[in-house]
Amino acid sequence: MTYRPLSGSSSFAIDLGAARACIHWSGGRFITFFGLLLSSFMLFGCSALPDKPVRASMYDFGPGNLTPQPTTRQAPPADLAPIAIDDITTSGGALDSLAVLYRLAYMDAQELRPYTLARWSMPPAQLVRQRLRDMLSQRRSVFNAGDSAALNRSQNAVLPRLLRLDLEEFSQVFTAADASVGVIRLRATLLEVTPAGLKLVGQRSVVVQRPATTPDAPGGVRALAAATDAAIEEIDQWLQQSVGR
């Protein structure tokens, strides 16, 4: 007698007569065809269980300057004029997420793609602002935009000029399957704070790219960090010309 499943299910047949013949004595234990079949199903079921989820790697720009700063700082004549930094704005969307983004320029440069297992520790605009403040504060006094009014009231000082940045591009761009660069594009606006309001001092667009050493997320992160540092250096040079000493 042969058993067959209902129509539409996976087709297999078990010949019961042949199954009886499979029962034999081995080392004092009965091994049956059904036992072997059940073991096979159990092994298959175990192998089909989902793997443990893989946690995404988290990245930032590194620890920054590790040299201790003096607790009291006296401004020498060569120090640069103070600056106030506003929050860095974006156009919204993908740049406001934690995703590490890339483009395949050789296929579709308009499509932004996120790495599945790579994340920034905070949105890119916040990472760039943190790096900007760290680098500029090595040679000048740096304030937050909201600190200016309090500074003026407490010291009756001239308000520092206000720097605003718009982050327009921040991605790893692949020019080929094994070649890519980290690209950052910023628009910098320098404003003077006056009793009548804000006055435009100057504006500058900064576009910097740096090659990635590897065609993957870690390579893209390192390239974007290097591109960001170079962009901040360019902004610093521009500020020295615009703000003066």
Side-chain angles (χ1 to χ4, degrees):
M1 179 176 65
T2 301
Y3 168 77
R4 294 185 180 278
L6 296 175
S7 176
S9 61
S10 299
S11 60
F12 66 92
I14 301 176
D15 190 327
L16 295 181
R20 294 191 189 97
C22 288
I23 302 175
H24 63 281
W25 182 263
S26 175
R29 292 175 297 175
F30 282 107
I31 299 178
T32 67
F33 170 79
F34 292 107
L36 293 174
L37 185 62
L38 179 61
S39 298
S40 298
F41 284 155
M42 291 177 66
L43 288 173
F44 175 77
C46 291
S47 64
L49 292 175
D51 294 333
K52 183 178 179 181
V54 179
R55 182 176 297 179
S57 299
M58 187 170 293
Y59 297 95
D60 58 17
F61 289 163
N65 183 25
L66 299 179
T67 304
Q69 298 294 321
T71 55
T72 58
R73 180 185 177 190
Q74 296 180 349
D79 261 16
L80 303 179
I83 196 80
I85 302 176
D86 208 343
D87 291 337
I88 297 179
T89 61
T90 70
S91 58
L95 285 180
D96 287 341
S97 73
L98 300 179
V100 179
L101 302 172
Y102 67 94
R103 298 179 187 270
L104 301 180
Y106 59 91
M107 292 179 58
D108 186 359
Q110 283 72 45
E111 183 179 0
L112 274 173
R113 306 165 189 253
Y115 279 106
T116 304
L117 297 177
R119 296 287 184 273
W120 294 111
S121 62
M122 62 182 73
Q126 295 182 32
L127 283 171
V128 173
R129 188 184 187 279
Q130 183 182 71
R131 194 70 153 190
L132 175 72
R133 184 183 179 93
D134 289 345
M135 293 181 65
L136 293 186
S137 63
Q138 294 178 21
R139 302 206 314 174
R140 69 171 80 230
S141 296
V142 177
F143 302 93
N144 294 321
D147 297 339
S148 296
L151 178 67
N152 188 41
R153 287 195 300 267
S154 63
Q155 299 182 8
N156 195 27
V158 177
L159 294 179
R161 288 183 174 177
L162 178 64
L163 176 64
R164 286 180 175 172
L165 294 176
D166 297 307
L167 182 62
E168 300 173 337
E169 178 70 22
F170 193 76
S171 67
Q172 181 182 11
V173 179
F174 282 84
T175 55
D178 59 349
S180 64
V181 293
V183 178
I184 182 173
R185 185 172 70 248
L186 293 160
R187 185 173 71 252
T189 303
L190 187 62
L191 301 164
E192 184 177 352
V193 183
T194 69
L198 297 177
K199 177 182 177 182
L200 178 65
V201 176
Q203 193 172 72
R204 184 184 183 94
S205 293
V206 178
V207 183
V208 177
Q209 63 181 35
R210 289 294 183 268
T213 55
T214 55
D216 52 16
V221 166
R222 289 190 293 268
L224 283 167
T228 300
D229 287 349
I232 293 173
E233 288 287 350
E234 185 173 332
I235 291 172
D236 188 26
Q237 293 297 320
W238 174 65
L239 288 176
Q240 292 182 41
Q241 299 171 7
S242 301
V243 178
R245 296 184 181 275

